[in-house]
Every structure is written in structure tokens, then in C-alpha cells.
């Protein structure tokens, strides 16, 4: 599961300002969603956790992680049914995404 | 064509904002992170197209659609494919975009919305709307090859006049080549009522009723004997 910027670069179509804007928002929004996800798991609010995992799922696909997308979709379904057996795998995915985004410099920083 | 975005995820709003800005004749008026604020906005503003996220906390996109009385065209956006069938159960939904959204796919959706809009604008000879929606808040009339927009709630009455109808609004009167039957199909049932074979009136504009006549603005309109009982039923009589 290795993230890439293929989709974002294709979308930006050479527009560096737009590319930086997307990456800036991703870098700010993802940690907020991760915090919300962990808090909802800790408070056993799996419905809210599923909602936040759903939002993170879009970011997984933005970073071109096809395997990660499937894992996230499965975890979202599982949470809606009140289970969380895929939580460790999902946490691993979050770590990969966070490390990748932190390694990217954007002009907005 | 005007549009708004409703999506609780900022990343999605930023992407849609950028892609909308690349489309000629598409004006993004506002982007909302929740449906409630969008409903308040739509109560005061007319919009042609909504990009609507299905998954939002508290109030989903489907909940949102059900609150709208006369929804504009809607393009749904979501990370899931499984809602596609449910989405098209709503008449106002014209397309369904799966995230991450591609530029080409979005452009096609907007093109589809534009084609709906142009069909609506030129579909009739006198009135514009060609679809089955009979409760439009606006009506376009064709006068000297110009489509003039009329807010239906500004209409006082409509009078048949040979091959023409006279539409009398609060501001102005319009003479249009059409029939009462055609315009009835385009007007909302409430507050309009045909009181006579030659007159449709806006019930909310009645000043008074005497015997078999109604005073509306400066016009006196006859009441047909057969229409009188139904008229009485529709009035809020003390």
C-alpha cells in the first residue's frame, strides 16, 4: 500500500497553486478526521466512527491506494455492523498516509 | 447556470470548486459544509444545479432532497457506488459522481444539467417548461423572441383573449399567444384557481368578493356559477 500523487497531479493539470491547495487541505483535514475517528472508537460510537472512516476513504482514493481503499471500505462496513476487527490494519494505513503527507512540502506551509 | 456545493468534506469542496471554475457559464455561488445552511440559502435564492454529497452526518443528501419542494437539478457525489440506483429514484437527480471525481466526468454531468436547462427554456412556444412539473415558482413567456421570466406569485390574474392570454402581474401586464389550458399546466395548483372559463386568478390577491364578482387589484373578475362552490371551499371563510 504505497500512496502516490498521480490523481492529484492529473487533476491539477500543471496548476501548482491548485495542487498545493488540495495537498494543504488534505494535510490539515486528515489529522482532524483521524482524531475524530479515534475518539469515536474510544467512546464506542461506531456509527460516527464509520462516518469518519467514510470521509477518510475518499482521501485514500485521492492518494491512489487501491488496496487501502478496499480495506477502508470493509472497515466502514464492519463498523456499521458494530465490529472493529480491521482496526489495526486500518491504523497501519493511517500511519502510511500520515507519513507520506508529512513528507510533502507545500507552499501553504 | 448557477450552482452550489453541499459536502461536509473540505477536500471535496476544494476539488469541486476548482473544477467548476474551469467551466464556462457555470457560476459557483456558494459551498456549504452542511445541508441545513444550504436549505436556508435555497429558501432565499434560486439555483440551477446542486452538487450534493450523500454521506453527511445528521442530515444525509437523501434527507436533504426530500425537504425541497421544487428542487433544482442535482448531481450526487459520493465515495460509494451502491447508492446509484436509489439516487435515480429522485426526479431531480440527473447524475451520480463517484469520488474521486474526474474532470471529464464532472464536465459531462454539467453538460447534462445544461441540456436539461436549455430544454426547459425553449420547450414551448409561449411557456418554457416542458416537463411534467406543474408547481414551478417561475414561468417564462415568449414575447418578441425574448423569454421573459415571471415569478408566478406576482401574477394577479390571467385572462383569456381570443388566441391570446393577458397575464396581469403586480408590476406589468403581458399579452401572450397561448391558452388558459396551457398556462394552467405550468402554474402551481395553490394559489391559482380558474373561476371562470376566461379567468384564472391568484387567490392570495383577492381584495373582496361581491355576489358573482371578485375584485383583484383593479380588475373585476366574474365567477362562474359552477366554479363558485369550489371557490368557497378554497377560501378561508370565518
Amino acid at each position: 500500500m504505497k500512496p502516490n500523487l498521480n490523481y492529484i497531479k492529473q487533476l491539477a493539470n500543471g496548476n501548482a497553486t491548485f495542487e498545493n491547495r488540495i495537498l494543504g487541505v488534505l494535510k490539515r483535514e486528515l489529522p482532524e478526521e483521524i482524531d475524530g475517528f479515534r475518539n469515536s472508537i474510544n467512546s464506542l460510537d461506531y456509527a460516527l466512527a464509520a462516518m469518519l472512516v467514510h470521509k477518510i476513504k475518499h482521501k485514500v482514493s485521492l492518494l491512489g491506494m487501491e488496496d487501502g481503499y478496499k480495506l477502508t471500505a470493509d472497515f466502514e462496513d464492519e463498523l456499521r455492523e458494530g465490529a472493529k476487527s480491521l482496526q489495526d490494519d486500518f491504523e497501519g494505513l493511517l500511519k502510511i498516509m500520515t507519513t507520506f503527507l508529512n513528507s510533502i512540502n507545500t507552499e501553504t506551509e | 447556470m448557477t450552482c452550489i456545493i453541499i459536502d461536509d468534506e473540505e477536500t471535496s469542496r476544494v476539488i469541486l470548486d476548482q473544477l467548476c471554475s474551469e467551466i464556462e457559464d457555470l457560476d459557483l455561488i456558494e459551498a456549504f459544509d452542511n445541508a441545513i445552511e444550504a436549505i436556508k440559502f435555497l429558501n432565499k435564492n434560486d439555483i440551477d444545479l446542486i452538487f450534493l454529497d450523500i454521506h453527511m452526518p445528521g442530515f444525509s443528501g437523501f434527507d436533504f432532497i426530500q425537504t425541497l419542494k421544487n428542487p433544482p437539478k442535482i448531481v450526487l457525489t459520493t465515495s460509494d457506488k451502491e447508492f446509484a440506483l436509489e439516487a435515480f429514484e429522485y426526479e431531480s437527480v440527473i447524475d451520480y459522481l463517484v469520488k474521486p471525481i474526474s474532470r471529464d466526468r464532472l464536465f459531462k454531468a454539467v453538460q447534462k444539467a445544461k441540456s436539461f436547462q436549455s430544454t426547459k427554456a425553449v420547450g414551448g412556444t409561449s411557456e418554457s417548461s416542458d416537463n411534467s412539473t406543474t408547481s414551478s415558482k417561475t414561468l417564462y413567456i415568449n414575447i418578441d423572441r425574448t423569454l421573459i421570466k415571471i415569478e408566478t406569485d406576482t401574477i394577479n390574474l390571467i385572462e383569456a383573449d381570443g388566441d391570446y392570454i393577458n397575464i396581469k402581474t403586480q408590476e406589468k401586464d403581458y399579452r401572450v399567444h397561448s391558452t388558459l389550458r396551457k398556462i394552467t399546466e405550468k402554474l402551481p395548483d395553490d394559489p391559482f384557481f380558474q373561476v371562470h372559463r376566461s379567468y384564472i386568478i391568484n387567490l392570495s390577491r383577492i381584495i373582496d368578493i361581491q355576489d358573482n364578482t371578485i375584485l383583484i387589484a383593479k380588475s373585476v373578475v366574474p365567477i362562474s356559477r359552477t366554479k363558485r362552490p369550489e371557490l368557497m371551499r378554497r377560501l378561508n371563510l370565518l
Side-chain angles (χ1 to χ4, degrees):
Chain A
M1 287 194 292
K2 195 177 174 189
N4 62 69
L5 296 178
N6 295 349
Y7 168 79
I8 291 172
K9 286 196 176 293
Q10 186 188 25
L11 195 67
N13 201 21
N15 182 340
T17 307
F18 179 35
E19 187 176 325
N20 273 309
R21 193 174 164 212
I22 298 176
L23 288 169
V25 174
L26 264 179
K27 291 175 79 165
R28 189 179 67 250
E29 198 171 41
L30 180 62
E32 293 169 4
E33 290 166 357
I34 293 173
D35 283 348
F37 159 71
R38 288 176 181 152
N39 289 337
S40 58
I41 288 288
N42 289 338
S43 58
L44 304 179
D45 187 346
Y46 291 177
L48 179 59
M51 181 64 77
L52 288 155
V53 168
H54 179 84
K55 289 174 77 173
I56 292 170
K57 187 167 70 177
H58 180 216
K59 293 172 176 63
V60 174
S61 60
L62 283 174
L63 294 177
M65 304 171 78
E66 287 180 21
D67 292 344
Y69 181 88
K70 185 171 183 328
L71 165 66
T72 310
D74 289 344
F75 186 41
E76 182 188 352
D77 290 343
E78 190 181 51
L79 284 168
R80 289 190 200 287
E81 290 166 9
K84 53 173 187 142
S85 72
L86 296 170
Q87 187 182 352
D88 287 347
D89 293 337
F90 184 66
E91 284 287 355
L93 173 67
L94 294 179
K95 191 175 177 187
I96 293 170
M97 290 170 72
T98 305
T99 305
F100 177 73
L101 285 173
N102 286 341
S103 71
I104 298 168
N105 289 320
T106 58
E107 289 172 8
T108 53
E109 290 179 311
Chain B
M1 189 165 66
T2 55
C3 72
I4 61 170
I5 296 166
I6 308 171
D7 197 314
D8 63 319
E9 193 195 352
E10 188 182 358
T11 308
S12 296
R13 295 197 301 274
V14 167
I15 291 171
L16 278 170
D17 179 345
Q18 172 65 27
L19 295 180
C20 287
S21 74
E22 296 174 10
I23 300 175
E24 204 177 338
D25 299 333
L26 182 66
D27 293 327
L28 174 62
I29 306 298
E30 195 85 56
F32 299 93
D33 64 6
N34 70 82
I36 306 295
E37 289 304 313
I39 290 169
K40 289 180 192 169
F41 175 84
L42 289 169
N43 283 337
K44 295 176 186 169
N45 300 278
D46 281 335
I47 290 294
D48 300 313
L49 178 64
I50 300 175
F51 294 100
L52 175 64
D53 183 29
I54 294 175
H55 273 96
M56 289 183 288
F59 208 81
S60 77
F62 292 129
D63 294 334
F64 171 81
I65 293 172
Q66 288 170 28
T67 65
L68 300 179
K69 202 174 177 185
N70 295 301
K73 296 302 172 201
I74 293 171
V75 173
L76 290 173
T77 61
T78 178
S79 301
D80 295 311
K81 292 173 186 169
E82 70 254 33
F83 290 106
L85 279 178
E86 186 181 349
F88 287 107
E89 287 175 11
Y90 297 91
E91 195 184 340
S92 52
V93 174
I94 58 161
D95 212 340
Y96 183 96
L97 301 179
V98 178
K99 298 177 187 177
I101 295 166
S102 75
R103 179 178 276 99
D104 288 350
R105 192 63 191 79
L106 179 89
F107 286 7
K108 276 183 188 170
V110 172
Q111 209 51 49
K112 201 187 267 190
K114 283 181 179 175
S115 68
F116 272 103
Q117 195 185 35
S118 59
T119 305
K120 192 179 173 187
V122 298
T125 52
S126 296
E127 296 84 27
S128 66
S129 178
D130 71 336
N131 60 23
S132 58
T133 303
T134 57
S135 55
S136 177
K137 287 178 181 173
T138 57
L139 176 75
Y140 284 83
I141 58 171
N142 188 345
I143 294 180
D144 296 329
R145 297 181 183 180
T146 302
L147 289 172
I148 298 170
K149 180 181 174 184
I150 296 178
E151 301 293 339
T152 56
D153 61 5
T154 67
I155 296 173
N156 291 331
L157 65 93
I158 303 149
E159 175 187 41
D161 184 9
D163 292 333
Y164 290 82
I165 54 172
N166 297 316
I167 302 172
K168 299 186 175 184
T169 74
Q170 289 172 297
E171 297 84 25
K172 204 173 168 183
D173 295 352
Y174 300 93
R175 186 172 161 82
V176 183
H177 187 261
S178 190
T179 64
L180 284 188
R181 195 168 67 177
K182 279 186 185 174
I183 198 167
T184 300
E185 292 168 5
K186 310 294 179 187
L187 292 172
D189 289 336
D190 187 14
F192 291 94
F193 181 65
Q194 184 161 2
V195 289
H196 184 274
R197 63 186 165 85
S198 299
Y199 291 93
I200 293 170
I201 64 163
N202 181 338
L203 294 172
S204 68
R205 302 259 175 253
I206 293 175
I207 295 171
D208 66 38
I209 301 174
Q210 290 185 21
D211 297 321
N212 290 322
T213 59
I214 299 172
L215 180 63
I216 293 186
K218 293 176 182 172
S219 303
V220 176
V221 176
I223 306 169
S224 156
R225 197 159 43 93
T226 56
K227 297 283 186 181
R228 190 178 174 84
E230 192 183 348
L231 173 66
M232 291 300 125
R233 272 198 299 276
R234 291 191 56 176
L235 298 177
N236 189 19
L237 287 173
L238 186 63

